[in-house]
DNA sequence: AGCAATCTTGCGCGGCAGGCAAATTTGCGC
DNA sequence: GCGCAAATTTGCCTGCCGCGCAAGATTGCT
């Protein structure tokens, strides 16, 4: 069995090249000044080939997020089946953050900041997260007991992903300190861990 | 000051007509068999006017959700400033559900079920929720104390909206029992209320 | 080398977002 | 009522996009 044949490696390279070109050009020129054709040209493929990989330039821009979230699914599967669900999610999120922190170079941060100005992209960012939401919920189903497992696993998946998304957005906008701290604070706001001093929520 | 001049009322009526036409036609014919022009025709306006109201047919389809979420913002503002944030959110969500439960006629449910088959629409559903997310976060800012208020209010807003969205989706797919029950269960999963028996989370 | 499976590319069609300006409708003071 | 200014609708138009299709190029296996 092949780890990765030439075919697969070429496809992955093309996909990545398209993603990077899309993000870079959108940051440099502004989203609406960049055509799909320009992205394809920058990645040395035809416009038609772009469509074979992504259904829109926005999807191409957020491909990196998709990859990272799929990696998080693996990190979840690697954990013992009898852990508390939220513990599993938190650990996976923190491990992922540490893993990819190096790849989040200043260039990446700057590009994401510029791209952020386009309000329409918010929806597509969220869309990337929603794509894996069902897979994540399916993974959590096995780790829940009690009634309403279907609903509750979906709620857990959705809230966890929403929390990570917001933490990332906040860090992109105001990166004071490590991303990991921000993710921990965000996760703690949803599920205060015993031992971590929970934040005061509300006057009084 | 006018409650609503003729101008405003006409605009609201047109917007609503376009929304209803979009949802109905998408449910009947399938999203990709419905053109913007067809929606505009059904609402007795020109295709160009459609674009004055919505930037895509998907946005038109989920306009109803947008309206309901804005109503929820009002319900939040109406509550005392010294309540616990999550309590405020829960009360508003439940009040909203009760308010609009009558309007969620069987027709609406059937339409939403048919429309749900189009996987691409998921992203647009989420987009509708994300649009109000920042407004909701801003509203919560005043109700939080302690450090990292900006981050934490956004996390609360995002998790609350994600929970409501998932509960609604689950109910659309499997409406066993009142929507209100499902919303309560979903809210309880993320913030177990003292007094409500929390669900067993994990084996053991 | 040869063959089948897969991927890339060019072409073309229906559709869509949105700028622009003319025509219509509404609001308001008189 | 009347007429004017502001707002809205509409038609026209342009560039762009998603995707079906089929021909050509590349890869994998024997």
């Amino acid at each position: 069995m092949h780890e990765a044949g030439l075919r697969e490696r070429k496809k992955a390279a093309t996909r990545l090249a398209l993603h990077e070109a899309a993000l870079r050009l959108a940051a440099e020129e502004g989203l609406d000044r960049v055509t799909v054709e320009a992205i394809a040209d920058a990645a040395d493929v035809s416009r038609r080939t772009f469509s074979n990989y992504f259904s829109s330039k926005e999807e191409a821009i957020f491909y990196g997020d998709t990859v990272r979230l799929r990696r998080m699914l693996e990190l979840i599967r690697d954990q013992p089946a009898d852990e508390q669900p939220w513990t599993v999610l938190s650990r996976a999120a923190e491990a992922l953050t540490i893993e990819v922190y190096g790849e989040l170079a200043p260039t990446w941060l700057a590009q994401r900041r510029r791209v952020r100005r386009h309000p329409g992209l918010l929806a597509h960012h969220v869309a990337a997260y929603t794509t894996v939401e069902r897979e994540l919920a399916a993974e959590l189903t096995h780790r829940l007991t009690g009634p309403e497992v279907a609903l509750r696993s979906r709620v857990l998946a959705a809230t966890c992903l929403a929390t990570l998304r917001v933490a990332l957005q906040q860090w992109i906008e105001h990166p004071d300190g490590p991303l990991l701290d921000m993710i921990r604070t965000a996760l703690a706001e949803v599920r205060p861990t015993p031992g971590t001093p929970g934040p005061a929520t509300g006057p009084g």
Side-chain angles (χ1 to χ4, degrees), chain A:
Chain A
M1 163 171 180
H2 295 276
E3 258 300 320
L6 177 58
R7 231 185 182 83
E8 296 305 318
R9 274 183 286 130
K10 266 197 159 183
K11 281 188 74 171
T14 301
R15 206 180 292 273
L16 192 61
L18 285 171
H19 158 64
E20 288 175 346
L23 180 55
R24 180 175 58 82
L25 290 176
E28 284 174 5
E29 316 275 346
L31 177 66
D32 37 11
R33 295 186 167 279
V34 179
T35 65
V36 167
E37 188 164 19
I39 299 172
D41 282 354
D44 279 308
V45 292
S46 69
R47 181 182 79 87
R48 188 62 185 79
T49 293
F50 176 94
S51 286
N52 290 339
Y53 284 90
F54 299 107
S55 66
S56 69
K57 43 185 173 185
E58 292 86 356
E59 188 181 316
I61 287 176
F62 292 111
Y63 171 64
D65 292 56
T66 303
V67 170
R68 270 172 241 124
L69 289 175
R70 292 211 183 286
R71 171 68 184 136
M72 181 171 159
L73 282 180
E74 286 183 32
L75 290 172
I76 288 169
R77 281 190 269 263
D78 287 349
Q79 293 184 49
D82 59 348
E83 288 283 357
Q84 294 293 317
W86 191 257
T87 306
V88 171
L89 292 171
S90 299
R91 279 199 202 138
E94 294 186 11
L96 178 69
T97 305
I98 294 170
E99 258 189 29
V100 302
Y101 193 77
E103 125 186 19
L104 268 45
T107 305
W108 180 88
L109 183 57
Q111 286 173 342
R112 287 298 290 258
R113 267 203 204 151
R114 286 174 189 261
V115 145
R116 181 187 70 83
R117 303 201 172 269
H118 261 274
L121 277 181
L122 220 303
H124 291 275
H125 188 198
V126 180
Y129 281 68
T130 307
T131 301
V132 291
E133 190 175 295
R134 284 184 171 271
E135 295 175 66
L136 178 52
E139 182 59 36
L140 288 175
T141 299
H142 315 304
R143 297 170 184 267
L144 286 181
T145 60
E148 307 270 16
V149 166
L151 172 64
R152 285 164 44 219
S153 61
R154 288 183 66 177
V155 169
L156 275 180
T159 53
C160 172
L161 290 177
T163 303
L164 295 179
R165 167 176 59 82
V166 166
L168 181 60
Q169 285 172 345
Q170 185 74 17
W171 186 75
I172 287 174
E173 293 173 31
H174 308 286
D176 340 297
L179 173 58
L180 185 59
D181 289 354
M182 197 153 276
I183 296 224
R184 283 193 174 131
T185 305
L187 289 169
E189 178 67 22
V190 181
R191 278 294 166 97
T193 308
T196 303
T201 54

